[in-house]
Amino acid sequence: MGESEESYEWTTGTGTQIDWRGRLFEGICLGATLFGILMVLILLVYVTLDAFAITQPGTDPWLDWGFLTNAHSRFPEEAGIYPALIGSIMMVIVIALSAFPVGVGAAIYLEEYAPDNRFIELIEVNIGNLAGVPSVVYGLLGLSLFIRTLSMPSGSVIVGGFTVGLLILPIVIISAQEAVAGVPDSQRQASYAMGATRWQTVRSVVLPASLPGILTGTILALGRAIGETAPLLMIGAAATIFSAPSGPFDRFSAMPRQIFAWASQPSDEFQYGVLAAGVVTLLVVMLSMNAAAILIRNRYQRR
């Protein structure tokens, strides 16, 4: 009886110790989450106050309809982001049309068709390494490949889209691989048991089931692409243009490139008010893309 009570007390003490450690770990994770959210909120509040001139009595808001529809001006009250906004949208379209099919095709091949050997493992390792390469390196690659080798126009929409598309391509491949690998193997086996070929199984079973994850990963990658600046500097994207590009071969400027140019202006109105309005516009576009990714994922998951 005494031995049993001693064993019970030891077990209870151990359980209490494990629960204390678990609660400590939970608290640390919660603190890290709240810290990240707090930093983002501070950034949003800071730039929003400057963009709408809330802390500057008697000053009109910098972010208004005129800011969204005007081109750059040497007068901060008349400066706008419209050409850079259109340039960013056109660049994202080029990125999506180039990186999405290549990335998804590569992911499907690696997961469904590629043999299991060391060469394929080497390719997958290199894809993972490419996802961590600094963006300026992709800018140099775009400069060498598209401008100097293929003689494409410097600073054009298509060169910017292809260069940044190379930047996010490893991310698209990895996210698409994870989505394809997440499809239960039992669904594939059921399709084969009904006489379907591998292509029919991929088209009718694997792709529909993995599409939410593929689209989510791609749109999140596009959200990163729209905020990149270093590759645009390397391929010669304009700091400022006064008319929106009308085609893929026109010279363009993007929102992060225009914001970078405003940051170098000597006027405080540009460095704080106009720059903050540009940052808020860029953040709204990025958050809208992320929200679209969530809506698309939820829609296909319900199906």
Side-chain angles (χ1 to χ4, degrees), residues 123-233:
I123 291 177
E124 293 181 345
V125 169
N126 286 328
I127 291 174
N129 291 335
L130 288 173
V133 172
S135 59
V136 68
V137 176
Y138 286 97
L140 292 172
L141 175 62
L143 174 64
S144 176
L145 177 61
F146 300 120
I147 297 177
R148 295 183 177 176
T149 302
L150 300 180
S151 299
M152 290 184 174
S154 175
S156 60
V157 175
I158 193 167
V159 171
F162 284 167
T163 301
V164 183
L166 290 176
L167 170 64
I168 69 166
L169 184 60
I171 303 174
V172 175
I173 295 175
I174 293 172
S175 61
Q177 274 189 270
E178 294 295 331
V180 172
V183 178
D185 194 58
S186 58
Q187 296 185 13
R188 297 180 178 85
Q189 299 303 324
S191 178
Y192 293 144
M194 296 178 65
T197 63
R198 177 174 291 185
W199 155 243
Q200 291 172 331
T201 300
V202 171
R203 181 190 62 186
S204 304
V205 177
V206 176
L207 271 179
S210 60
L211 194 58
I214 292 174
L215 292 177
T216 301
T218 301
I219 295 177
L220 293 177
L222 291 176
R224 176 191 174 183
I226 201 173
E228 288 292 342
T229 307
L232 303 182
L233 293 172

Side-chain angles (χ1 to χ4, degrees), residues 1-283:
M1 185 67 178
E3 183 178 347
S4 176
E5 290 179 356
E6 182 181 354
S7 175
Y8 175 77
E9 291 176 358
W10 179 84
T11 303
T12 304
T14 305
T16 304
Q17 187 179 20
I18 293 176
D19 182 69
W20 175 80
R21 291 178 180 177
R23 290 183 180 276
L24 177 61
F25 180 73
E26 180 183 358
I28 293 174
C29 293
L30 177 61
T33 302
L34 294 178
F35 178 79
I37 296 174
L38 179 62
M39 292 298 102
V40 174
L41 288 177
I42 291 175
L43 170 63
L44 291 176
V45 171
Y46 180 78
V47 296
T48 301
L49 291 176
D50 283 345
F52 291 97
I54 297 176
T55 59
Q56 304 171 12
T59 303
D60 294 332
W62 297 103
L63 180 55
D64 54 13
W65 183 249
F67 177 80
L68 298 176
T69 56
N70 291 341
H72 174 69
S73 172
R74 62 190 182 95
F75 301 105
E77 297 81 6
E78 300 176 4
I81 202 172
Y82 178 74
L85 175 62
I86 299 301
S88 290
I89 294 174
M90 293 181 65
M91 183 185 70
V92 167
I93 292 175
V94 173
I95 295 171
L97 293 178
S98 58
F100 179 75
V102 175
V104 174
I108 291 175
Y109 173 78
L110 291 173
E111 289 295 328
E112 299 293 329
Y113 293 95
D116 187 9
N117 54 40
R118 291 187 176 181
F119 179 70
I120 298 300
E121 292 179 358
L122 179 63
I123 291 177
E124 293 181 345
V125 169
N126 286 328
I127 291 174
N129 291 335
L130 288 173
V133 172
S135 59
V136 68
V137 176
Y138 286 97
L140 292 172
L141 175 62
L143 174 64
S144 176
L145 177 61
F146 300 120
I147 297 177
R148 295 183 177 176
T149 302
L150 300 180
S151 299
M152 290 184 174
S154 175
S156 60
V157 175
I158 193 167
V159 171
F162 284 167
T163 301
V164 183
L166 290 176
L167 170 64
I168 69 166
L169 184 60
I171 303 174
V172 175
I173 295 175
I174 293 172
S175 61
Q177 274 189 270
E178 294 295 331
V180 172
V183 178
D185 194 58
S186 58
Q187 296 185 13
R188 297 180 178 85
Q189 299 303 324
S191 178
Y192 293 144
M194 296 178 65
T197 63
R198 177 174 291 185
W199 155 243
Q200 291 172 331
T201 300
V202 171
R203 181 190 62 186
S204 304
V205 177
V206 176
L207 271 179
S210 60
L211 194 58
I214 292 174
L215 292 177
T216 301
T218 301
I219 295 177
L220 293 177
L222 291 176
R224 176 191 174 183
I226 201 173
E228 288 292 342
T229 307
L232 303 182
L233 293 172
M234 300 307 301
I235 58 101
T240 298
I241 58 174
F242 297 93
S243 61
S246 57
F249 294 96
D250 290 346
R251 191 172 179 83
F252 84 111
S253 180
M255 287 188 287
R257 184 70 179 93
Q258 180 65 77
I259 293 170
F260 181 79
W262 284 333
S264 62
Q265 294 287 334
S267 172
D268 289 342
E269 288 80 4
F270 273 112
Q271 291 186 1
Y272 296 98
V274 179
L275 185 145
V279 170
V280 171
T281 304
L282 178 60
L283 288 175

